Amino acid sequence: MTENPYQPSLATIEKIKVEVTGERAIKTFRLVMQDENVQKEFSFVPGQCVMISRLGKGESMFAISSSPTEKDYLEVSVMKQGKNTSALHEAEEGDTVGVRGPYGNHFDVEGWKNKNIVFIGGGIGMAPLRSIVNYTLATKNRDQYGNLDIIYGARTSNDLCFKDEFAELRLRDDVNVHLSIDVVEEGWKHFVGFVPSNLLKVNPPSENTIAITCGPPIMIKFVIQNLLELGYKDEQIYTTLEMRMKCGVGICGRCNIGNLYVCKDGPVFSNAQLKNLEGDM
Ligand SMILES: Cc1cc2nc3c(=O)[nH]c(=O)nc-3n(C[C@H](O)[C@H](O)[C@H](O)COP(=O)(O)OP(=O)(O)OC[C@H]3O[C@@H](n4cnc5c(N)ncnc54)[C@H](O)[C@@H]3O)c2cc1C
Ligand code: FES
């Protein structure tokens, strides 16, 4: 990438996939760097983020939702919120965006080898989890991890991201998918209720297991409470923080908690680390 930390590289939107329609619309953008060498050199680890700009509209941080095993592109999954995300949702295939990054720390995919992993997501919070799910399921990596369980929910079936991908995962016997929606819908065959309740129902054993949770703050709070109830230790529980960010590189001070910058020292933290930070939040 370029030496000026604020200078984006240009990427082309190669593919746009509509994940969720309506009020809480989500689209996945497949981006390819316009400079072949930049694309070749672009490497990241699941959990890391990028700043994406739509020229003249603004810049926002997004988790990379594709797996680093896909070398030819990166993907971000974006929920329409305000100015920049709306401008992204209006973009078309072939349009140009700016990309800075990758930024931040990441999930410890090396340190978690030989462990079971439980992925617990809500709504757009599945975006960073999709990266590590697909990384651990990649043919060259799968036998390096134990049991993989995905517990994922959204308000309605329309609000579930990556629906067709989950349908494919449900056909595999080396990963368990547990979907939920908040309220009853005709034809829904999976769990009805909030994600933390589905977690208790699935009851994934805590021994030799890492739990990663991403989603709305209220969901994360009750997921962590329930994981502790199921016998997980603070060191086995990981989440990502989504503080407001501006520079993304530890310069502006927009995202600090105490003396930590979430953009640089995070966004991935264990519950043990979060407990230490509690006084500063
Ligand atoms: C580390 C990190 C990872 C993220 N990953 C993703 C992702 O994978 N997919 C995704 O859709 N979004 C993600 N976000 C949130 C995304 O950056 C914001 O939604 C986006 O910046 C909003 O920009 P905007 O100009 O459209 O909205 P604005 O016009 O700035 O604001 C519109 C609304 O969005 C809210 N908002 C703005 N910024 C944030 C923020 N950082 N966190 C929560 N609410 C915010 C505002 O309160 C307001 O209600 C992430 C944020 C961070 C910090
Ligand atoms: S966003 Fe500027 S210091 Fe983190």
Side-chain angles (χ1 to χ4, degrees):
M1 294 245 122
T2 46
E3 279 176 23
N4 174 353
Y6 295 113
Q7 174 78 49
S9 297
L10 297 183
T12 301
I13 301 176
E14 195 187 71
K15 192 172 156 197
I16 301 175
K17 183 158 166 279
V18 177
E19 305 283 358
V20 173
T21 54
E23 223 180 291
R24 297 179 289 273
I26 298 173
K27 289 183 179 178
T28 294
F29 297 86
R30 180 171 292 183
L31 309 175
V32 179
M33 300 297 183
Q34 292 176 357
D35 181 328
E36 259 179 50
N37 292 326
V38 174
Q39 180 61 53
K40 260 190 216 143
E41 283 164 21
F42 190 90
S43 71
F44 67 96
V45 183
Q48 285 196 287
C49 299
V50 276
M51 276 285 193
I52 304 284
S53 50
R54 188 81 175 106
L55 304 183
K57 298 290 183 184
E59 202 179 29
S60 299
M61 190 70 99
F62 299 106
I64 303 175
S65 64
S66 53
S67 160
T69 47
E70 303 294 346
K71 303 275 183 218
D72 298 337
Y73 60 81
L74 71 140
E75 288 178 332
V76 288
S77 302
V78 176
M79 178 180 265
K80 190 172 165 182
Q81 293 270 8
K83 198 173 162 197
N84 191 39
T85 49
S86 297
L88 269 170
H89 272 243
E90 280 158 22
E92 293 177 1
E93 290 177 1
D95 284 356
T96 294
V97 293
V99 179
R100 293 198 284 129
Y103 293 136
N105 69 349
H106 50 78
F107 299 123
D108 187 11
V109 288
E110 284 300 315
W112 297 343
K113 280 184 176 165
N114 300 314
K115 290 187 186 291
N116 309 314
I117 308 181
V118 187
F119 309 96
I120 309 156
I124 186 63
M126 196 61 213
L129 296 183
R130 177 186 185 238
S131 179
I132 181 167
V133 163
N134 286 334
Y135 177 86
T136 51
L137 283 173
T139 313
K140 72 181 177 83
N141 296 333
R142 180 61 191 95
D143 63 359
Q144 300 182 50
Y145 298 92
N147 295 335
L148 300 178
D149 278 278
I150 303 169
I151 300 171
Y152 176 51
R155 291 191 211 180
T156 69
S157 59
N158 176 58
D159 291 307
L160 287 167
C161 251
F162 318 122
K163 289 185 253 303
D164 48 347
E165 295 175 31
F166 282 119
E168 279 178 29
L169 292 187
R170 291 180 69 81
L171 301 175
R172 292 178 64 142
D173 56 11
D174 58 352
V175 56
N176 303 309
V177 180
H178 314 273
L179 299 179
S180 66
I181 54 174
D182 291 355
V183 284
V184 180
E185 268 178 42
E186 208 183 317
W188 179 255
K189 294 189 184 70
H190 313 288
F191 187 80
V192 177
F194 297 125
V195 170
S197 309
N198 199 17
L199 165 66
L200 287 182
K201 183 181 156 272
V202 174
N203 191 4
S206 61
E207 200 187 332
N208 195 35
T209 305
I210 294 294
I212 316 169
T213 181
C214 299
I218 187 76
M219 184 207 90
I220 292 179
K221 181 180 166 198
F222 287 107
V223 162
I224 292 178
Q225 199 172 295
N226 289 356
L227 283 167
L228 294 170
E229 202 174 295
L230 292 175
Y232 285 72
K233 303 269 180 291
D234 291 323
E235 298 73 23
Q236 292 173 273
I237 303 172
Y238 287 79
T239 187
T240 62
L241 290 185
E242 285 200 4
M243 306 295 285
R244 299 292 184 79
M245 290 181 186
K246 206 165 185 177
C247 70
V249 287
I251 294 173
C252 75
R254 182 82 167 88
C255 68
N256 76 304
I257 303 175
N259 59 1
L260 288 185
Y261 293 112
V262 176
C263 65
K264 220 164 53 112
D265 304 306
V268 178
F269 293 95
S270 71
N271 201 43
Q273 290 170 307
L274 288 183
K275 278 190 168 166
N276 283 334
L277 289 175
E278 244 160 37
D280 298 321
M281 287 172 94

